[in-house]
Amino acid sequence: MDEDKEKNGGYETEGNALVGLIRERFYQAETSKVYDEKRWLKAYRNYRGLYGPEMAFRESEKSRVFVKITKTKVLASFGQIIEVLFSQGKFPLGVSPTSVPEEVAERAHLDPKQPGQPQQPERSAYGFPGDGMEIPPGVTANELMKNLNADYASLGFTDGPSYTGSPQIEPARMAAEAMEKLIHDQLEESKAITIMRHVFFEMALLGTGILKGPFTDTKDYHQFNTAEDEEGNVTRVHATKTKVVPSIEAVSCWDFYPDPNATSIGDCDYIIQRHSYNKAQFEDLADKPMFDREAVMACLAEGPNYQTRGFESSLYDKENITSIYKNRFEVLEYWGIIDKETADQCGLAYEGDSDVIHVNVWICGNKVLRMVQNPFTPTRLPYLVCPYELNPYQFFGIGIPENMEDSQQVMNGHARMAIDNLALAGNLVFDVDETMLVPGQDMKVFPGKIFRRQSGQTGQAVHGLKFPNTAYENLQMFDKFRQLADEATGIPSYSHGATGVQSTTRTASGMSMLMGAAALSIKTVIKNIDDYLLKPLGQSLFYWNMQFNDDAPHILGDLEIKAQGTSSLMQKEVRSQRLMTFMQTAANPALAPFVRWHTCLTEIAKSLDIDPDQLINDPEKAAIYAQIMGMVNGNTQNNQAPAGGQTQMGQAGPMPTGASPTDPTGAGGGNIG
């Protein structure tokens, strides 16, 4: 029993098989993670500019300088990621229908009345009382059209494109746009960009960023309505509305313990997250769904049980302190599988006949706080793990400090050597022959100092020695290894504002080529973010809305989540210039029908950091505005030209809109526009 107690972190778990199983798996994951924690400690110290306890200095070394090039690189990479993904003000996540939508039509049109078919009686546009088409008070047109993509068949639409010019809709695209708008709204409400900043920072520093969620949460909205009392006085009444929203959370690598036999999140049988709660936070767990209040209160009565790990003394800059006490409660959150026998022994209510059960269990000490079956459909682990640089044979990725660790050490060494040499070369060292001087003299040297001699030749008693200055050679090696750090990280110094103009950066085109080459390394990072973070997050939000969001039952269809991080990599100035050149080339009337002008204008607005939804009309509205503007221009020109088509100067006025040489008045039987 004592051996089991020591193996499970000092907790007695004999009476609970589930707690013992989780403690055993946590011990295995924690043991296998030691190597990664050592790597992260080195990366953290290089970022902070701290020497570790393994660093030993000779007595002759006086300087302890640490040049923080690693910090510059990490912050430059972090800033590039934020700039690429969030510079346009929108979350880089899109929803679009698949190439061949299933269970929903790609296009639908109004079915015209065919000859020979029974004609329906004409109905009044205003309806009549009792026709079953009453409009609720206060409803808007947008609310009436809300379910158009799902109920278009009942409104007289038929699947397929329109070949007669009749109105048509795109139900698959409408469903995708509605889902994309909903997901963006949920991400804004959950403060996703702020949470993502922590994920991206740890990804650049430690090599791996971890996001958790989405989970079902509630949000209170405060409303103020006016009410009139019996005396006719109008007062303002406060009302609170509660809404179910998804929430996400950033998880630190230090608190994340995956299956030691897995190399990716898809290979994990289980994942354990370690929480550190104060007394108020731990007590709040009792009010959350599916938590055992009695177990929470029993743990509160026993007191804090947090066990500090070895890496925490380094993180808190307390290297010399042997033990750290934290007045906290340690809670382990387990996501993974257990066998059916253990689930039956613990009394877990589950569905299905599988031999393994996917569960979520929270434990504190030797008590189970929460034990439920995995609520997600399809079943998944609610963690997204994104590497900065992918390591195909290990779970955690590689960050910037690890890539430039050797260069940082060499730069520190040459910087210390240069400073120690300057301390000698910058001051004179005196050689004094005391036999030529009067005994008992003070050897301090200052301007106007007088040495009293008693023998020997003049000037032979005191000699000033100057040591050679080797700082220049040391700084040359420093600069060389700084260039090697640029190559190791893929982040050149000029990309984050380093001084010094090279020959290739004297022109805009040369600088553009260099920046384009430098973007290749960050492009790989953004692609990892797209594949391992943004796209799985969009899919998880889609599944969450389909499973838990009852306010959007109309958003159905064969949809595809698309991460849009890599589309923002091209330099905005270069992209806008290329788009302008393309528009000038496509201005040829023969090429104009082949160009999607609305898409081109939208991309130009994005490259100029302008929201296209606020300034650019969709093609349908553009056609209406063009027709109205054509009518207005035609009336204006008709009003300016006098009768007979002659102006006051006796010259022919411009032809009206729609006019031709054979029909100067434009009154022929053609359609407008």
Side-chain angles (χ1 to χ4, degrees):
M1 182 183 302
D2 294 338
E3 295 179 357
D4 294 339
K5 184 176 181 180
E6 182 180 356
K7 183 177 180 180
N8 294 317
Y11 294 102
E12 179 62 54
T13 59
E14 183 181 7
N16 194 322
L18 184 58
V19 174
L21 176 64
I22 295 176
R23 287 285 176 187
E24 180 181 358
R25 292 184 174 179
F26 177 73
Y27 176 79
Q28 295 174 356
E30 187 179 25
T31 303
S32 65
K33 193 183 167 188
V34 172
Y35 169 73
D36 296 304
E37 292 175 350
K38 291 181 178 179
R39 292 192 299 122
W40 297 341
L41 279 178
K42 290 182 180 179
Y44 174 74
R45 292 192 182 107
N46 288 340
Y47 173 79
R48 289 288 313 280
L50 303 173
Y51 287 108
E54 70 280 357
M55 184 64 182
F57 296 96
R58 294 191 299 266
E59 294 183 1
S60 59
E61 291 184 281
K62 303 301 181 180
S63 175
R64 300 292 188 269
V65 65
F66 196 113
V67 186
K68 297 182 182 180
I69 304 298
T70 299
K71 180 177 182 180
T72 304
K73 298 295 183 184
V74 170
L75 294 181
S77 175
F78 174 64
Q80 286 182 3
I81 294 173
I82 297 298
E83 172 67 18
V84 168
L85 295 179
F86 303 126
S87 61
Q88 297 181 0
K90 287 188 176 181
F91 206 85
L93 198 63
V95 182
S96 62
T98 57
S99 301
V100 183
E102 298 179 1
E103 299 181 0
V104 63
E106 184 177 2
R107 291 185 180 88
H109 65 279
L110 282 174
D111 189 13
K113 299 176 181 179
Q114 302 294 335
Q117 294 182 355
Q119 302 293 327
Q120 298 294 332
E122 294 289 342
R123 294 183 56 183
S124 170
Y126 303 99
F128 57 88
D131 62 352
M133 304 294 291
E134 288 79 7
I135 299 178
V139 73
T140 62
N142 291 333
E143 293 176 354
L144 292 176
M145 299 292 288
K146 186 176 183 180
N147 299 329
L148 179 60
N149 64 308
D151 301 335
Y152 63 90
S154 61
L155 301 177
F157 284 86
T158 303
D159 293 351
S162 172
Y163 298 101
T164 61
S166 60
Q168 69 175 5
I169 59 175
E170 299 179 12
R173 181 180 61 84
M174 296 169 63
E177 291 177 351
M179 176 59 75
E180 179 178 344
K181 185 176 181 181
L182 176 63
I183 289 178
H184 282 189
D185 179 69
Q186 291 172 345
L187 289 171
E188 290 177 0
E189 290 183 347
S190 61
K191 300 180 180 179
I193 295 180
T194 304
I195 296 174
M196 286 288 189
R197 290 174 62 89
H198 179 78
V199 176
F200 295 148
F201 179 75
E202 277 208 347
M203 187 175 68
L205 177 62
L206 305 180
T208 308
I210 304 171
L211 186 69
K212 181 182 178 182
F215 292 98
T216 303
D217 200 355
T218 58
K219 185 176 181 179
D220 295 334
Y221 294 87
H222 300 280
Q223 298 177 345
F224 293 90
N225 302 322
T226 57
E228 186 175 352
D229 56 12
E230 298 178 354
E231 300 178 356
N233 298 324
V234 178
T235 58
R236 195 174 298 275
V237 180
H238 173 261
T240 303
K241 178 183 177 182
T242 302
K243 181 180 179 181
V244 177
V245 295
S247 63
I248 58 177
E249 175 189 353
V251 179
S252 176
C253 293
W254 304 101
D255 300 328
F256 187 78
Y257 297 86
D259 182 0
N261 298 318
T263 58
S264 65
I265 191 68
D267 296 337
C268 290
D269 283 341
Y270 66 90
I271 287 176
I272 300 176
Q273 180 183 355
R274 188 170 63 100
H275 298 274
S276 174
Y277 290 137
N278 58 26
K279 186 176 181 180
Q281 292 172 336
F282 187 77
E283 189 174 2
D284 291 339
L285 294 178
D287 298 329
K288 292 187 176 182
M290 308 300 293
F291 275 83
D292 188 352
R293 172 176 286 274
E294 294 181 359
V296 173
M297 296 304 171
C299 291
L300 280 174
E302 293 178 0
N305 63 342
Y306 187 85
Q307 294 184 354
T308 57
R309 268 60 186 180
F311 60 83
E312 295 187 56
S313 60
S314 299
L315 292 181
Y316 303 148
D317 293 341
K318 298 179 180 179
E319 301 278 2
N320 299 326
I321 299 178
T322 57
S323 62
I324 300 177
Y325 174 73
K326 291 183 67 174
N327 188 21
R328 293 292 186 269
F329 293 87
E330 182 178 274
V331 179
L332 300 182
E333 180 182 359
Y334 176 87
W335 289 87
I337 60 174
I338 60 174
D339 55 80
K340 196 173 183 179
E341 180 180 356
T342 304
D344 294 335
Q345 182 180 354
C346 299
L348 174 66
Y350 58 88
E351 299 177 356
D353 298 329
S354 177
D355 293 335
V356 294
I357 310 298
H358 294 265
V359 298
N360 170 228
V361 182
W362 293 56
I363 64 173
C364 179
N366 60 349
K367 294 181 175 56
V368 177
L369 307 182
R370 185 177 191 260
M371 180 175 58
V372 295
Q373 189 177 9
N374 192 317
F376 297 107
T377 304
T379 303
R380 58 183 175 85
L381 297 176
Y383 294 92
L384 306 176
V385 180
C386 181
Y388 183 88
E389 179 181 326
L390 183 64
N391 188 350
Y393 308 111
Q394 293 185 10
F395 187 90
F396 295 101
I398 302 172
I400 289 178
E402 186 175 353
N403 285 330
M404 60 173 295
E405 179 181 358
D406 293 335
S407 299
Q408 180 68 68
Q409 291 181 359
V410 175
M411 284 189 289
N412 290 339
H414 282 285
R416 295 196 305 268
M417 289 173 63
I419 294 175
D420 289 340
N421 175 258
L422 285 173
L424 289 176
N427 293 280
L428 286 176
V429 177
F430 294 94
D431 179 14
V432 180
D433 187 358
E434 294 186 355
T435 60
M436 297 183 180
L437 300 179
V438 175
Q441 296 192 57
D442 187 7
M443 291 299 175
K444 293 182 180 179
V445 178
F446 51 87
K449 171 71 174 180
I450 298 176
F451 287 96
R452 290 181 297 170
R453 299 174 58 252
Q454 63 182 0
S455 65
Q457 298 179 0
T458 305
Q460 296 299 317
V462 179
H463 295 276
L465 302 179
K466 181 175 177 61
F467 281 86
N469 186 355
T470 61
Y472 180 74
E473 289 79 5
N474 287 321
L475 292 180
Q476 277 187 324
M477 291 297 296
F478 180 92
D479 293 336
K480 181 61 179 179
F481 275 90
R482 180 164 184 167
Q483 294 176 6
L484 294 177
D486 293 349
E487 296 183 5
T489 58
I491 304 174
S493 298
Y494 58 79
S495 66
H496 50 79
T499 58
V501 178
Q502 302 176 2
S503 59
T504 53
T505 60
R506 294 183 182 274
T507 61
S509 59
M511 190 65 186
S512 177
M513 288 188 293
L514 286 177
M515 296 298 291
L520 293 178
S521 61
I522 200 68
K523 181 180 293 186
T524 305
V525 178
I526 299 299
K527 186 60 178 175
N528 289 340
I529 294 175
D530 283 348
D531 295 340
Y532 294 96
L533 190 63
L534 294 181
K535 188 171 183 178
L537 175 61
Q539 292 174 345
S540 301
L541 286 170
F542 174 75
Y543 294 143
W544 184 90
N545 283 291
M546 293 295 99
Q547 185 178 2
F548 300 108
N549 190 3
D550 297 331
D551 296 335
H554 61 286
I555 304 178
L556 300 173
D558 188 10
L559 306 180
E560 181 181 8
I561 306 298
K562 290 186 177 181
Q564 300 172 344
T566 53
S567 62
S568 305
L569 275 173
M570 186 182 297
Q571 295 293 326
K572 297 176 183 178
E573 296 80 3
V574 179
R575 181 173 176 82
S576 61
Q577 183 179 1
R578 292 179 180 178
L579 288 171
M580 293 293 185
T581 304
F582 173 77
M583 288 190 67
Q584 293 175 1
T585 305
N588 187 345
L591 301 178
F594 298 96
V595 181
R596 297 181 178 179
W597 294 105
H598 177 262
T599 305
C600 188
L601 289 174
T602 302
E603 294 300 322
I604 290 177
K606 290 180 180 179
S607 65
L608 298 176
D609 286 339
I610 299 175
D611 188 2
D613 296 335
Q614 297 181 357
L615 299 180
I616 300 177
N617 291 322
D618 54 26
E620 291 79 8
K621 291 183 179 179
I624 297 174
Y625 280 109
Q627 182 175 352
I628 294 175
M629 293 172 65
M631 291 180 178
V632 173
N633 292 335
N635 294 334
T636 303
Q637 293 172 1
N638 288 334
N639 293 334
Q640 291 179 354
Q646 299 293 326
T647 63
Q648 295 180 0
M649 300 297 295
Q651 299 176 351
M655 290 185 181
T657 302
S660 65
T662 57
D663 185 12
T665 62
N671 294 330
I672 298 178

